[in-house]
Amino acid sequence: MDAAILNSNPKKSIRYRMENSIPPTAAPSRTAPSPLRAALDRSAWVRRAITILADDGVDGLRVEILAKSLKVTKGSFYWHFKDRRDLLDAVLVIWKEGRVSDIRKQTQCQPGGEATALLHTIDVYAAARNRKGIHIEAAVRDWARRDAQAASVVEEVDAERLACACRLFLACGMSDSEARARSVMLYAYVFGVSLMRCDRFAPDLLELKHWIADRIAR
Amino acid sequence: MDAAILNSNPKKSIRYRMENSIPPTAAPSRTAPSPLRAALDRSAWVRRAITILADDGVDGLRVEILAKSLKVTKGSFYWHFKDRRDLLDAVLVIWKEGRVSDIRKQTQCQPGGEATALLHTIDVYAAARNRKGIHIEAAVRDWARRDAQAASVVEEVDAERLACACRLFLACGMSDSEARARSVMLYAYVFGVSLMRCDRFAPDLLELKHWIADRIAR
DNA sequence: CAGCGTCCATACGGTTCCGTATGGTTGGAT
DNA sequence: ATCCAACCATACGGAACCGTATGGACGCTG
């Protein structure tokens, strides 16, 4: 609701062939044709970029590396994107959309099922199985420490997640301040475990996590 | 081609200064010579390197940037360090020593004061006041995602911290598994809050933090 | 078939950074 | 006075990348 940043810019699909000042004249022609070798589109570049981001961080996300990863040259990249910054912004938009839709899906529940939905949310987000998502999350958060745009996106995602959790806590009958405190505790814990290396300290990590989740949610 | 023969210096294979962090206790006559412009030593380089690491991450820690930050050229750097990796290893050693000694200092207490020591530890580590330490922590942890050496150091630091907290919980009379679970929850929370941007969501963050700390430690 | 838009390859100049080679300066020991 | 070791500057080759310029292949359309 309060999302002030609406990304409804219709001119976002400008191709960057030349710096001619002529905007695309509507171009109401049909969708992408299908040549024999499937042409890459923006989303394919962004998807692969997110994979590289997860592995190597923002500073490791280089256009020539990315192009080589897609078996093309950067001549293709600069047709789809104005520059590297343009790619990074697109990555942030896609990541934000995915995180917002995901947290809404994870926290939706029937009336009365809020407590189990909370435990489910903690379980999903604190699980080590979704390693790629965790790596992306860590990379974006580290990126946000030095980039204002990334910081803004992280803040919006955090706000959405906190609001989703808070809604569940409130539905469980908690006070406003307790619901907010538990929400902060929930996500702080979830983000924290993804950073820690406690395998040696806690061989029974799964049981510990269940104990902790129970203590956060109830 | 035969220019090496003209050089009368027989040993020129190693130009950079050896020996890592152990101060030379031998060589009694060798005190610090004080030229007009104080010469840099390894620790000065490492200290400044950690500052840059906090701001720009590992990938932003470049030897030419670092040298310029110290008002010298990299010719000086390569006298003190074998290469960039040598500097990074030294950074890890110094960081680890500092974190281990710090957590031991924070968690030491008189018998009977374990509960307050726990609250104090949470308060110190979750406080946003030590911003530089948080940034270093985040940078090192992100670094550890792609570097085995850094990952090893992070693991050791985490193990030491978990052990320190666990000791306090055990002294409070908790069972072994509960003490370990609470330790994991404590540090996961502490690391997590340092990553979150919840100012907008929780204007009364201090009260929330106290509520959370009480719930973790008690 | 001629023309145009789409998508990609190639080539190039420029910047940043690494690591090495080598020379210069300084202060203390001999 | 001289020599040496500590410490730093300068210069260089090479690699990795960025962004631009330009042309080519290919399919669609008039």
Side-chain angles (χ1 to χ4, degrees):
Chain A
M1 289 300 209
D2 57 352
I5 296 183
L6 298 178
N7 195 16
S8 59
N9 188 352
K11 302 299 177 57
K12 201 52 184 176
S13 59
I14 298 176
R15 303 310 189 205
Y16 297 99
R17 169 62 180 164
M18 286 201 173
E19 51 267 0
N20 59 0
S21 59
I22 301 176
T25 61
S29 61
R30 298 177 308 99
T31 58
S34 61
L36 286 181
R37 180 177 57 179
L40 297 172
D41 58 345
R42 251 180 167 251
S43 84
W45 283 93
V46 171
R47 267 183 278 116
R48 183 61 61 95
I50 290 180
T51 296
I52 296 181
L53 173 68
D55 290 338
D56 303 335
V58 224
D59 295 309
L61 182 48
R62 311 270 111 189
V63 328
E64 289 184 325
I65 307 290
L66 173 60
K68 183 167 295 184
S69 165
L70 288 169
K71 313 284 188 191
V72 293
T73 65
K74 61 181 177 173
S76 171
F77 175 86
Y78 285 101
W79 196 90
H80 292 281
F81 298 89
K82 178 178 178 296
D83 51 16
R84 181 170 173 269
R85 184 68 230 188
D86 188 22
L87 169 73
L88 295 183
D89 290 337
V91 165
L92 286 178
V93 169
I94 297 298
W95 181 77
K96 173 188 164 186
E97 290 175 359
R99 289 323 94 209
V100 168
S101 84
D102 187 73
I103 190 58
R104 286 178 180 162
K105 194 178 79 178
Q106 300 291 347
T107 56
Q108 72 181 359
C109 63
Q110 308 290 337
E114 287 87 3
T116 48
L118 279 167
L119 287 175
H120 172 257
T121 300
I122 298 177
D123 199 43
V124 167
Y125 277 79
R129 50 185 161 85
N130 187 13
R131 287 187 54 77
K132 182 176 177 181
I134 287 177
H135 279 185
I136 299 172
E137 188 90 28
V140 172
R141 290 189 127 75
D142 185 73
W143 178 12
R145 286 173 44 232
R146 317 184 256 307
D147 184 86
Q149 194 74 18
S152 168
V153 167
V154 165
E155 192 168 357
E156 295 174 47
V157 169
D158 282 357
E160 181 65 31
R161 286 169 168 168
L162 286 167
C164 284
C166 195
R167 199 174 306 129
L168 293 180
F169 281 123
L170 287 174
C172 290
M174 297 182 186
S175 74
D176 185 72
S177 65
E178 179 175 349
R180 295 211 321 287
R182 281 182 188 265
S183 303
V184 170
M185 181 166 64
L186 192 159
Y187 284 110
Y189 161 71
V190 162
F191 295 151
V193 282
S194 72
L195 291 179
M196 294 178 62
R197 317 258 174 181
C198 40
D199 310 334
R200 198 175 49 187
F201 177 80
D204 50 348
L205 192 57
L206 271 184
E207 296 180 26
L208 296 192
K209 281 184 176 177
H210 283 140
W211 187 90
I212 295 171
D214 198 66
R215 204 170 160 74
I216 291 176
R218 273 220 303 255
Chain B
M1 45 186 73
D2 56 354
I5 300 178
L6 302 178
N7 198 325
S8 60
N9 189 355
K11 50 174 300 183
K12 59 179 302 182
S13 57
I14 300 179
R15 287 284 297 256
Y16 66 94
R17 212 177 75 108
M18 296 290 290
E19 195 47 49
N20 214 344
S21 61
I22 307 300
T25 53
S29 67
R30 189 172 169 276
T31 58
S34 61
L36 288 181
R37 179 176 56 176
L40 298 172
D41 57 346
R42 249 177 169 258
S43 84
W45 283 93
V46 172
R47 266 183 278 117
R48 183 60 62 92
I50 290 181
T51 297
I52 296 181
L53 173 68
D55 291 338
D56 302 335
V58 224
D59 296 308
L61 182 48
R62 310 272 113 189
V63 329
E64 289 184 324
I65 307 289
L66 173 60
K68 184 167 294 184
S69 165
L70 288 170
K71 312 284 189 190
V72 293
T73 65
K74 61 179 176 174
S76 171
F77 175 86
Y78 285 101
W79 196 90
H80 292 280
F81 299 89
K82 179 178 177 297
D83 50 17
R84 181 170 173 269
R85 183 69 230 187
D86 188 20
L87 169 72
L88 296 182
D89 289 337
V91 165
L92 286 177
V93 168
I94 298 298
W95 181 77
K96 174 188 166 186
E97 290 176 0
R99 291 321 95 210
V100 168
S101 83
D102 188 73
I103 189 59
R104 286 179 181 163
K105 195 178 78 177
Q106 299 292 346
T107 56
Q108 71 182 359
C109 64
Q110 308 290 336
E114 289 85 3
T116 47
L118 278 167
L119 288 174
H120 172 256
T121 301
I122 298 177
D123 199 42
V124 166
Y125 278 78
R129 52 184 164 86
N130 189 10
R131 285 182 48 79
K132 183 177 177 181
I134 287 177
H135 278 185
I136 299 172
E137 188 90 28
V140 173
R141 290 190 125 75
D142 186 73
W143 178 12
R145 286 174 41 233
R146 328 182 199 63
D147 184 86
Q149 193 74 18
S152 168
V153 167
V154 164
E155 192 168 358
E156 295 175 48
V157 169
D158 281 358
E160 181 65 31
R161 285 169 169 167
L162 286 167
C164 284
C166 195
R167 197 175 309 129
L168 292 180
F169 281 123
L170 287 175
C172 290
M174 296 180 184
S175 73
D176 184 74
S177 66
E178 179 174 351
R180 296 210 322 286
R182 281 182 187 264
S183 303
V184 171
M185 181 166 64
L186 192 158
Y187 285 110
Y189 162 72
V190 161
F191 295 150
V193 282
S194 72
L195 291 179
M196 294 179 60
R197 318 258 173 183
C198 42
D199 311 334
R200 198 176 52 186
F201 176 79
D204 50 348
L205 192 57
L206 271 185
E207 295 180 26
L208 295 192
K209 282 185 177 177
H210 283 140
W211 186 90
I212 295 171
D214 197 64
R215 197 163 168 79
I216 291 177
R218 202 175 49 84

